[in-house]
Amino acid sequence: MKDYHFENDNKEFDTTIRLDHINEKVKELEQNQTDEDDLGDKDEFLNAFESEKFEDPLPIQPAEEPMTFVTREPRKQPVYDGGQPPMPPKDEDNEEDEPFWNKKTIGLITIAALVVLGICFGIVKMVFFSNPLDKATEAAPMLVTEVLDEEELLVYDINAAKQKTVNLTPETVVYNEDEVQIQPDIIQMGDLLMIQMDQDGEFAVTISYDDSIKKEEITGLKADTSAKELVGEDRSFAYDKKTIFYYDEEEIRPEDIESCDVLEISGIGDVVWSVKVLEYHGYITVENAQNIKNGTFTLDEEEPVPLSDVEKIAVKEGTHSITIKGDNIESRTDSVLVQAGETTVYDLSKAQQKMGVLAVNANVSDYKLYINGALVDSSQPSVLPFGEYDVVILKNGYKEWSQTVTLNQDAVSVNAQLETEEQLATVVINCNEADANVFINGEEKGTAPLQVTLPYGTYEVEVFKDGFTSYHQTVQIQSSVVHISATLG
């Protein structure tokens, strides 16, 4: 049995009577006393102990104010030696048990219920509300091939070399290159990211544009698709078959890249995985340049190239300056607008040609003048574009005069000397003997009868045959047809 001690006036602990002893004593006194007033108010006595705590001792009172109990002593209270009354005998008939649902029991049950409830809540939370992001794997480089929606990405896992889906949750944290948290909607196709997945590899815990990802802005590269390299004048970069090439959020082919394009390349180690075109190219084609002699083509401030080599050239999108020069045209400079992925046609059909004056002087008059096959007025000079021309002069009684003339300056003069044309006659030679040999000016022409064409003039004609006397005669030819009859004796 546990005793309770209270401090006395000397600040020493005295032995006290337990409340259940007091209750039993009170019951005993009630049975022996019929006059309630003589016994005093038992409720007042019990109320004095109602606040007693059974587990902890009462606080110590200061010395100057000793703790006292306010009670009315029962009449004829016996005093016992030793300061402690003996245990009263139990009264089986009047014994009153302490009720089970007292404050202590209720408090203990409440505490136990709270403990059990807390344990159950922890189990339920762990089973049904556990955060899948609590455990995560190491961050790995992944290439975003498609943004399905704000909560789902299609990526290529570079380390695992496979395509997979990455889910985003409200707990997913995204960092930019400066390690500042940003919104996930900034992610787009072609981004090369370091992604940390949960333990099951389903949800993204953190996503970062990590500084371990090499990124560079560069121009002057072309794709060598056979070697899978981006090749420049002094540098080259390897890329993978899964590398994404894209412009304006649209995927393009590696061979679509031109050296004038401005690229942003992102890679891991020595391999480029993402090629984003910042400034794309268009094309310029030149038409109707075939009539320009020794033409040159100059783009912006670059070196001139032969116009004949310009068919379709790639240029950066935007406004460009084109300068065309040629021997037969006036130099011209035009501004053209080139749009990305489009072809701009530069037409030279309206190029202003250089003009010059061609003057033809001949030693005869009243002739016909032809320039490139066209009859022109021979009495005045011809104004023509720079170029080459076939000039022909015809006049009866004179030989045809022709020459190719180059007009490459303001004025060109041509002097034509026509020669008289030889008059021809048809000479018919007959002989009284068949198969006689005919010689004209000592040159054998054949056997009679014979017809030859000869210019006007004087000729020595001989006809002979073995066994016969020869024919010899000087003939003056001055008409278009001459007949000669030779008789052999």
Side-chain angles (χ1 to χ4, degrees):
M1 180 178 294
K2 184 177 181 179
D3 295 335
Y4 293 86
H5 301 276
F6 298 91
E7 195 176 36
N8 60 17
D9 291 342
N10 297 324
K11 298 185 177 181
E12 297 175 351
F13 291 101
D14 290 339
T15 303
T16 60
I17 302 173
R18 285 179 53 87
L19 184 58
D20 53 353
H21 295 169
I22 297 174
N23 288 335
E24 292 176 359
K25 187 63 177 178
V26 171
K27 292 178 182 179
E28 182 180 352
L29 292 176
E30 287 178 346
Q31 293 177 357
N32 297 328
Q33 298 293 334
T34 59
D35 188 359
E36 184 177 354
D37 294 336
D38 293 338
L39 290 174
D41 189 354
K42 66 180 179 65
D43 292 334
E44 180 180 345
F45 180 80
L46 293 175
N47 289 337
F49 293 91
E50 185 175 2
S51 61
E52 180 181 8
K53 297 182 179 178
F54 293 94
E55 296 297 329
D56 299 327
L58 294 176
I60 300 175
Q61 295 286 351
E64 60 271 14
E65 295 182 2
M67 184 178 294
T68 59
F69 295 94
V70 180
T71 61
R72 292 183 63 183
E73 294 182 1
R75 184 178 300 176
K76 297 178 182 180
Q77 180 76 21
V79 179
Y80 302 95
D81 294 336
Q84 183 173 350
M87 289 294 295
K90 290 185 178 181
D91 190 345
E92 297 292 339
D93 297 333
N94 296 322
E95 183 177 1
E96 187 176 323
D97 294 335
E98 183 178 354
F100 177 78
W101 294 105
N102 54 35
K103 293 182 179 181
K104 181 177 180 181
T105 304
I106 293 174
L108 292 174
I109 293 176
T110 302
I111 293 173
L114 291 175
V115 171
V116 173
L117 183 62
I119 294 173
C120 293
F121 177 77
I123 294 174
V124 172
K125 181 179 179 182
M126 180 179 63
V127 174
F128 296 100
F129 301 100
S130 60
N131 189 349
L133 308 182
D134 289 341
K135 295 182 179 180
T137 61
E138 291 186 2
M142 300 186 190
L143 176 65
V144 180
T145 58
E146 186 177 354
V147 179
L148 301 177
D149 54 41
E150 294 183 357
E151 298 179 351
E152 191 174 12
L153 304 175
L154 188 63
V155 303
Y156 179 74
D157 190 327
I158 295 175
N159 289 347
K162 67 178 181 178
Q163 199 89 3
K164 67 181 182 180
T165 301
V166 172
N167 297 306
L168 278 64
T169 70
E171 288 78 19
T172 302
V173 181
V174 183
Y175 297 100
N176 63 10
E177 293 87 345
D178 299 323
E179 298 184 358
V180 176
Q181 186 172 346
I182 56 176
Q183 294 298 319
D185 57 7
I186 200 69
I187 300 174
Q188 56 183 303
M189 180 190 73
D191 285 352
L192 189 57
L193 307 171
M194 296 296 292
I195 300 181
Q196 184 184 32
M197 302 295 294
D198 70 325
Q199 193 173 30
D200 297 330
E202 183 177 357
F203 298 96
V205 179
T206 61
I207 299 175
S208 62
Y209 293 80
D210 199 89
D211 55 7
S212 64
I213 299 172
K214 299 177 182 179
K215 185 178 293 186
E216 182 178 349
E217 184 175 316
I218 192 171
T219 188
L221 299 180
K222 284 275 291 182
D224 182 349
T225 55
S226 60
K228 286 188 172 51
E229 287 187 344
L230 293 171
V231 182
E233 291 185 358
D234 54 358
R235 302 177 67 187
S236 62
F237 304 88
Y239 66 88
D240 190 83
K241 63 180 181 180
K242 292 293 185 179
T243 299
I244 290 183
F245 294 77
Y246 64 105
Y247 169 72
D248 196 21
E249 299 184 6
E250 293 290 336
E251 193 167 356
I252 60 176
R253 302 174 303 169
E255 54 265 33
D256 292 334
I257 298 295
E258 295 287 353
S259 58
C260 60
D261 293 336
V262 179
L263 311 177
E264 181 183 81
I265 58 176
S266 301
I268 298 291
D270 297 329
V271 179
V272 172
W273 290 97
S274 174
V275 179
K276 180 179 181 180
V277 181
L278 302 179
E279 296 181 27
Y280 201 39
H281 65 273
Y283 294 97
I284 294 177
T285 60
V286 178
E287 293 185 351
N288 299 309
Q290 63 274 10
N291 294 326
I292 298 177
K293 304 301 181 182
N294 299 321
T296 60
F297 177 94
T298 303
L299 177 68
D300 298 326
E301 302 298 325
E302 298 178 3
E303 291 295 323
V305 296
L307 185 58
S308 58
D309 294 344
V310 179
E311 294 182 359
K312 185 177 182 180
I313 59 174
V315 295
K316 186 169 60 177
E317 59 181 317
T319 301
H320 296 271
S321 174
I322 295 177
T323 300
I324 302 294
K325 294 182 179 181
D327 293 344
N328 61 336
I329 64 168
E330 299 288 348
S331 297
R332 58 180 297 170
T333 300
D334 298 295
S335 293
V336 295
L337 177 62
V338 179
Q339 295 181 336
E342 301 294 332
T343 299
T344 299
V345 177
Y346 185 66
D347 189 0
L348 290 175
S349 62
K350 297 181 180 179
Q352 184 178 356
Q353 293 181 307
K354 292 180 179 179
M355 306 298 290
V357 176
L358 177 61
V360 178
N361 302 310
N363 59 342
V364 295
S365 60
D366 300 329
Y367 57 85
K368 292 181 179 180
L369 176 62
Y370 295 86
I371 298 178
N372 282 354
L375 181 63
V376 299
D377 187 356
S378 61
S379 64
Q380 59 184 4
S382 299
V383 178
L384 301 170
F386 279 18
E388 291 184 350
Y389 297 93
D390 292 327
V391 180
V392 176
I393 298 176
L394 297 178
K395 184 176 174 61
N396 288 332
Y398 293 86
K399 294 180 181 180
E400 179 183 299
W401 183 93
S402 64
Q403 183 176 323
T404 299
V405 179
T406 300
L407 181 61
N408 56 5
Q409 50 188 325
D410 294 340
V412 173
S413 296
V414 176
N415 294 318
Q417 294 292 326
L418 276 69
E419 297 179 359
T420 58
E421 185 181 38
E422 291 182 336
Q423 292 179 307
L424 298 177
T426 300
V427 179
V428 179
I429 302 173
N430 294 309
C431 184
N432 62 334
E433 295 293 338
D435 298 329
N437 295 317
V438 178
F439 289 83
I440 298 176
N441 288 344
E443 181 180 355
E444 185 178 3
K445 296 296 184 180
T447 59
L450 176 68
Q451 179 178 309
V452 295
T453 300
L454 298 174
Y456 284 17
T458 301
Y459 297 90
E460 295 293 332
V461 178
E462 290 183 77
V463 180
F464 69 91
K465 186 176 180 181
D466 291 342
F468 295 91
T469 304
S470 298
Y471 171 86
H472 184 276
Q473 185 175 350
T474 301
V475 179
Q476 185 74 32
I477 299 176
Q478 294 181 342
S479 60
S480 57
V481 178
V482 176
H483 290 275
I484 298 174
S485 295
T487 301
L488 300 180

